[in-house]
Amino acid sequence: MKKEKNELLQLLAGLAMLVAGLFIFSQKVMVSSGFFGFGFTLGGIQLSNGLIMMPFIIGIVWMFGSGGSLLSKLFTIASVIIIIAAVVMTSHISLMRMTLYEWVVILVLIFGGAGLLARLLLSDRKNAHTTDRISEGVQQKVEKTEEQRRIEAVEDELDRMKQDL
């Protein structure tokens, strides 16, 4: 006899593993940025930090000056995207020194927890489908029984009418 699995317990265990793995990983990663003082290269053109902010400033002035035209809003949004891209592209991510054991534990926690969550969230739910089919079958039997009762009631009424004639 196969023992029934507790899905809530598996969900909580997978979530705990994933969170613990990501927490330990975040403690072992160093993130630094060269944004302040180094500049940004966009399409082969070296832009300093002040030049990256100029489209944003122009977009804000244009948006308030024109009363919020669509073109000024699109220009401002594009300048914000350029600023975010500049910050991301100038970020330097490096791992701190760690042992192979620590690295394997982090990977097992992250991907094992993600695997547990994926299995639970993406499963077919075979038992649920079987239960639904059984309940549909019972519902059909109940409906047939009600139809049969109606037919019998009509036949009884016809018999009474025949007797009265």
Side-chain angles (χ1 to χ4, degrees), residues 128-165:
H129 293 298
T130 305
T131 306
D132 291 342
R133 288 180 188 162
I134 291 172
S135 64
E136 288 174 5
V138 170
Q139 184 67 27
Q140 288 175 354
K141 287 180 183 177
V142 170
E143 290 174 1
K144 288 180 183 177
T145 305
E146 289 176 14
E147 289 177 14
Q148 288 174 351
R149 289 179 191 158
R150 290 179 189 160
I151 292 171
E152 290 174 0
V154 170
E155 288 176 352
D156 289 342
E157 186 67 30
L158 287 173
D159 288 339
R160 285 186 209 141
M161 290 172 69
K162 286 179 186 177
Q163 288 175 358
D164 290 340
L165 288 176

Side-chain angles (χ1 to χ4, degrees), residues 52 55-60 62-63 68-85:
I52 292 173
F56 179 68
I57 293 169
I58 292 169
I60 295 294
W62 186 11
M63 195 166 39
S69 68
L70 179 64
L71 192 58
S72 67
K73 289 178 183 178
L74 291 175
F75 186 79
T76 306
I77 290 170
S79 65
V80 168
I81 291 171
I82 290 172
I83 292 170
I84 292 170

